[in-house]
Amino acid sequence: MITIIVACDRHNLIGDSQSPSGMPWHHAEDFAHFKKTTLNHTILMGRKTYEAIGRPLPKRQTLVLSSQPLDLPEGARWVSSLEEVLQAYRQSKEELYICGGASIYKQCYPWADQILLSRIPGDHQGDAWLADFSAYFELDHCEPKETFTLEIYRRKPYA
Ligand SMILES: NC(=O)c1ccc[n+]([C@@H]2O[C@H](COP(=O)([O-])OP(=O)(O)OC[C@H]3O[C@@H](n4cnc5c(N)ncnc54)[C@H](OP(=O)(O)O)[C@@H]3O)[C@@H](O)[C@H]2O)c1
């Protein structure tokens, strides 16, 4: 099972290279949702997102995608082939969470089963956006949280 997990505002903004965390906002409830959802699972992220976070996330196996070998601490593992990782998890009961950034999300649209999208209210500054996924996914339902809305998208039939 492959799940894309992402937070974006109403303009599909997801990142800000001027911010120390790489994120356009600090959103406590969404961070808690991300942690609760991904804990004890495998997560995959691009090299730039990993560098913005700066360390493997605790109690998760972190796969970091890069074309160049990476010397990573315990808890993180360099992977060079996105397709090999996605093939392995496509048929597996184990969950793989795709955690960004923009380039990784887009490449995973043809492979993922669902998107968990945290819609963060307000307008924000930034320079990375989530690419349009409407050819692959349709909205299944929304779950209102206290400070954001969780939108759950499922793969379209035959997409
Ligand atoms: N809002 C959110 O939920 C969220 C979540 C995560 C990230 N973000 C944001 O997204 C932005 C970063 O996105 P980004 O697209 O610039 O960077 P990224 O996806 O994090 O990383 C890109 C890097 O990943 C590697 N890569 C990508 N595709 C590959 C492939 N097929 N094979 C091998 N390596 C591959 C390359 O590393 P090498 O150059 O080393 O080869 C590439 O430079 C940041 O602003 C970050 O804060 C937002």
Side-chain angles (χ1 to χ4, degrees):
M1 176 89 167
I2 299 171
T3 297
I4 288 173
I5 184 163
V6 61
C8 56
D9 75 3
R10 66 195 173 105
H11 303 296
N12 291 339
L13 182 74
I14 63 165
D16 178 11
S17 59
Q18 302 303 308
S19 132
S21 70
M23 299 288 280
W25 45 74
H26 178 79
H27 199 287
E29 191 186 14
D30 179 55
F31 279 135
H33 152 75
F34 176 85
K35 184 176 177 187
K36 188 177 165 203
T37 307
T38 58
L39 218 53
N40 301 313
H41 293 294
T42 302
I43 61 178
L44 171 71
M45 62 186 70
R47 192 255 309 158
K48 291 181 186 173
T49 293
Y50 178 79
E51 284 178 354
I53 297 170
R55 65 192 163 91
L57 294 175
K59 297 185 183 165
R60 280 148 283 195
Q61 165 75 2
T62 303
L63 306 180
V64 185
L65 186 66
S66 171
S67 57
Q68 303 299 319
L70 300 174
D71 187 17
L72 297 171
E74 199 180 330
R77 183 160 68 85
W78 167 59
V79 289
S80 60
S81 168
L82 181 58
E83 193 166 334
E84 268 179 32
V85 175
L86 295 172
Q87 286 282 14
Y89 279 88
R90 197 180 208 180
Q91 310 299 340
S92 166
K93 281 186 193 154
E94 249 182 86
E95 296 269 1
L96 174 69
Y97 286 94
I98 310 297
C99 299
S103 73
I104 308 294
Y105 287 137
K106 191 174 177 185
Q107 294 175 75
C108 290
Y109 290 165
W111 298 82
D113 299 292
Q114 61 173 354
I115 301 180
L116 303 181
L117 188 156
S118 299
R119 190 69 73 182
I120 306 297
D123 291 314
H124 304 271
Q125 298 289 324
D127 48 22
W129 287 267
L130 187 66
D132 178 32
F133 55 76
S134 57
Y136 296 97
F137 299 95
E138 60 194 5
L139 185 64
D140 185 74
H141 66 282
C142 295
E143 292 176 14
K145 305 288 183 187
E146 262 181 54
T147 55
F148 71 95
T149 301
L150 181 62
E151 300 175 358
I152 295 153
Y153 294 83
R154 306 276 185 223
R155 170 162 294 286
K156 282 182 170 176
Y158 311 114

